[in-house]
Every structure is written in C-alpha cells, then in structure tokens.
Amino acid sequence: MFPSSSSSPILYSLTLFVSLLLLFLFAPQILLPRNRHHGQPLISAKDELDDLRLFREAISKAKATPRGGSSKVSHLGTVNPKPKIAFLFLTNSDLVFAPLWQRFFESSGGGDLFNVYVHVDPSTKLSTPEWLVKASFVPAKTTARASPTLISAARRLMANAIIDDPFNLYFALVSQHCIPLHSFKFVYASLLGNPSSATKAFLTQRSHKSYVEILSEAPYLHNRYVARGDGSLLPEIPYDKFRVGSQFFVMAKRHALLVLRERKLWRKFKQPCLDLDSCYPEEHYFPTLLSMEDPKGSSFYTLTRVNWTDSVDGHPHTYLSPEISPELIHTLRKSNSRIELNLDVRLENMGGFGL
C-alpha cells in the first residue's frame, strides 16, 4: 500500500527531519578525526565557548587595571606590590621535579614576586606535588600531544593568571619535565630588574619583549604547513609567514593579551589535520602569531634548553643518572642567547639532585 499524494509531503518532511537529526548526532564522530594519541575529538564547541568567556573576563580585568599599578593594593592586600612572574605548569603527569622547583622558589626570598598555576589533564590522577608552594590549579580541559588542545591549555593558563593577579607581568610556560637552571633571583632580575626597583616595570609594559622561539626555516616546515590540506591556512597565513618554534616560552603580558584577543589565526590552527605525522599546531601558533603581529617585540629565541640528540618519538633526549652532574648543569647554562631560565628536557627522576 502506497501513501496518498496528500500525505506524501508530510512523510517526506518527517523523513528529512529524521535524516537531519541523525546527521547532527553522528556527524562529529564521522567527520572529526580522532587524535592519534588519545582517540578523542580535538576541540568541542562547549570547550570553545567556555574559553571565550574566560578570555573576555581576562581582557576586561586587564583593562580595569591601571598601567602604573605601583600605588595600588594587590589581590593579596599588599601595598605597592611588585611585578610578578607567573609560572604556568602544563602537565598530564605528576610534577616529579617539584622538590627542585621548591628550592627555586625558596630562593626568591618570599612569595610576593611570583605565582604558580597548574593545568592538569582531567583524566590524570595527579599526586600531590612535593613542594610547599601555593599553586592554583586552573579549571582544565582534555589535552593531547600534537593537537590544538595544547594551545587552548596555554591560553587558559594565561587567562586565569591575568584574572587572578593583575601584577603578573610575565608568563613562563613550562612542562612537568622542566627544571630551573638558575636561581629565582637571577631569572627575576633578567626579566624585570632588581626587585627593589622593579616597580618601574609597570610603566614600561608596552616595551616588554617576549621570549618566544620564531624560526622561518626548517626541513619539515612545508609538510606541516599543508598538514590540514593545501591552502587550508590561506588567506590568513601565507607560507612565507608560517613559523615554528618551541612549545614553551616566556611571554610578556601585552602579548598574552594579544593571544587572548586573537581569533583569525586560531580558527585556522584548530582545524583537524589530514597528515597526522606533520601535525604539531602547538609549535606553530604562537611563533606565527607574534611574528605577524609584533616581530620587533619578540626575542625570536626561547629561554629553554632542549637536547634533541637521540630523540625518540618526537621527545628530547632523556638524561639518565650517570649523565647528571654539576658539569652537565654548567654546560646546559651555556647558550647562544643572553639567558636561559629552565631546561625542557626528559631527566630521570632522581632524589637529591640539586641546583
């Protein structure tokens, strides 16, 4: 028995509605590629909206903060607060080098020169870090290596740090594998000057440099540029503007706010890759953005030291117990740049290893 002609439009409409409903429900699973490391979609619409609200709050908070800052009261109730460095730990495993960071932060002479923020993948059961440091664990989202989720996590850390304390003027992104190579006082003086006179840094924020590695040449650069498909980054990012650099950096507040405001490049870099072996957006987004928007405002080198000799599966060299010595630390402190603040390297977990 066939439906009458009068009922056909209703039947066709119902069929179309059901088809659209099924497409809506299953298209993400069909169309979105899964990350090869965690088997999860890259960025969800909910996470994106949550981040946008967070970024707007941070930008609004920054606008309400006087540039001078030195005569105001900080969020801790301190009169004439000093500028601070925000240390942003991006991790998906235990902070095994927390005791080393404890010694590093102790050398500051007090807690009024820095803040610590930690972004932990929600699927990670993190052990309590072995340090006596007041650390803020920010609301976190799922992260995966070689995916735009790492860009989102870095932006999330900076936004939370800006909201938490308006006197955070530098943002140092590090991983659970980083260790400090110098004392806190050395690092602080290199970025902001002597603490006793560092309040002038509030007045010179517009000229603060960011220490982000920016490279225009690499043997794999073209493959990474077309990892999402030919022309996928156009017109916003022509090939001659595409850059690469270390995932970890020390960024000035003015550039952190630039990152939180930026939308055009992010829409390109968050696209899923077709060539997964050439997909490392976290190593391209920040260098490309700063190179395009404020090339004179960046050092073009990072303040981390990485040894790529004998790397395995894209990870740096792991220093094992027989290799670790004071001589190694002195060697690692040597650099082509003016200063190096920390070491982004896989180091075997050793109790009692000191600076």
Side-chain angles (χ1 to χ4, degrees):
M1 181 176 180
F2 297 96
S4 65
S5 59
S6 61
S7 63
S8 295
I10 298 176
L11 180 61
Y12 294 152
S13 298
L14 181 60
T15 303
L16 179 61
F17 174 76
V18 172
S19 299
L20 290 174
L21 180 61
L22 291 173
L23 182 63
F24 175 77
L25 290 175
F26 295 107
Q29 286 77 13
I30 297 172
L31 299 177
L32 281 181
R34 300 281 174 165
N35 184 275
R36 64 182 181 276
H37 297 284
H38 290 270
Q40 296 176 344
L42 301 182
I43 300 286
S44 72
K46 182 182 181 302
D47 288 352
E48 183 86 353
L49 291 174
D50 288 346
D51 283 344
L52 286 174
R53 283 191 288 267
L54 177 69
F55 300 163
R56 291 191 188 103
E57 182 181 353
I59 293 167
S60 177
K61 184 71 174 286
K63 287 180 179 178
T65 304
R67 288 196 191 95
S70 58
S71 63
K72 299 295 180 181
V73 178
S74 77
H75 75 313
L76 298 177
T78 304
V79 179
N80 297 326
K82 297 180 175 65
K84 303 176 184 180
I85 302 172
F87 290 86
L88 315 177
F89 286 83
L90 175 55
T91 183
N92 60 0
S93 63
D94 286 342
L95 300 176
V96 293
F97 295 120
L100 290 179
W101 285 102
Q102 169 73 25
R103 295 186 62 179
F104 173 76
F105 291 125
E106 283 178 347
S107 71
S108 71
D112 61 339
L113 300 178
F114 68 92
N115 286 304
V116 176
Y117 305 88
V118 184
H119 184 290
V120 185
D121 187 296
S123 64
T124 299
K125 294 182 179 180
L126 191 73
S127 301
T128 302
E130 296 179 23
W131 60 17
L132 300 176
V133 176
K134 181 184 177 182
S136 299
F137 285 77
V138 308
K141 307 288 185 182
T142 299
T143 56
R145 181 185 172 212
S147 83
T149 59
L150 293 178
I151 301 173
S152 294
R155 299 169 89 193
R156 207 173 291 130
L157 277 163
M158 288 188 284
N160 277 281
I162 290 171
I163 293 170
D164 177 63
D165 192 336
F167 303 110
N168 286 325
L169 296 193
Y170 268 104
F171 303 83
L173 182 68
V174 295
S175 78
Q176 70 271 36
H177 301 297
C178 288
I179 66 168
L181 281 177
H182 294 280
S183 69
F184 180 90
K185 291 181 179 179
F186 178 88
V187 172
Y188 189 93
S190 299
L191 291 173
L192 293 165
N194 191 301
S196 62
S197 59
T199 51
K200 66 180 182 182
F202 289 116
L203 302 174
T204 59
Q205 291 183 59
R206 288 185 175 181
S207 62
H208 286 178
K209 275 189 176 293
S210 287
Y211 298 89
V212 177
E213 186 176 42
I214 301 175
L215 303 175
S216 59
E217 295 182 4
Y220 49 76
L221 201 61
H222 182 265
N223 287 345
R224 291 195 180 188
Y225 181 73
V226 298
R228 297 159 190 81
D230 288 335
S232 60
L233 297 182
L234 296 173
E236 286 83 357
I237 312 169
Y239 180 66
D240 63 350
K241 300 293 184 182
F242 188 61
R243 299 291 184 267
V244 66
S246 171
Q247 175 189 351
F248 302 101
F249 51 73
V250 179
M251 189 173 291
K253 184 174 183 177
R254 66 192 184 101
H255 290 140
L257 290 168
L258 170 67
V259 166
L260 300 185
R261 293 189 186 100
E262 199 280 318
R263 298 288 181 270
K264 290 194 302 182
L265 269 61
W266 168 243
R267 282 196 290 268
K268 294 295 185 178
F269 278 104
K270 74 175 182 179
Q271 295 180 88
C273 289
L274 303 178
D275 178 6
L276 297 180
D277 292 328
S278 298
C279 189
Y280 294 91
E282 71 276 17
E283 295 181 1
H284 295 277
Y285 175 74
F286 298 105
T288 301
L289 175 60
L290 262 66
S291 176
M292 293 178 68
E293 296 295 331
D294 188 15
K296 293 182 179 180
S298 178
S299 66
F300 278 64
Y301 58 82
T302 183
L303 299 181
T304 59
R305 177 73 178 262
V306 182
N307 183 356
W308 288 105
T309 305
D310 302 323
S311 65
V312 178
D313 191 27
H315 294 295
H317 174 75
T318 300
Y319 288 96
L320 302 179
S321 300
E323 299 175 85
I324 300 172
S325 66
E327 290 74 25
L328 173 66
I329 298 301
H330 288 300
T331 299
L332 293 172
R333 283 177 172 174
K334 296 176 182 178
S335 172
N336 293 328
S337 60
R338 188 170 60 89
I339 54 173
E340 281 181 340
L341 305 188
N342 51 60
L343 173 62
D344 177 26
V345 59
R346 292 184 174 271
L347 192 69
E348 186 177 59
N349 186 16
M350 291 184 61
F353 177 65
L355 300 181

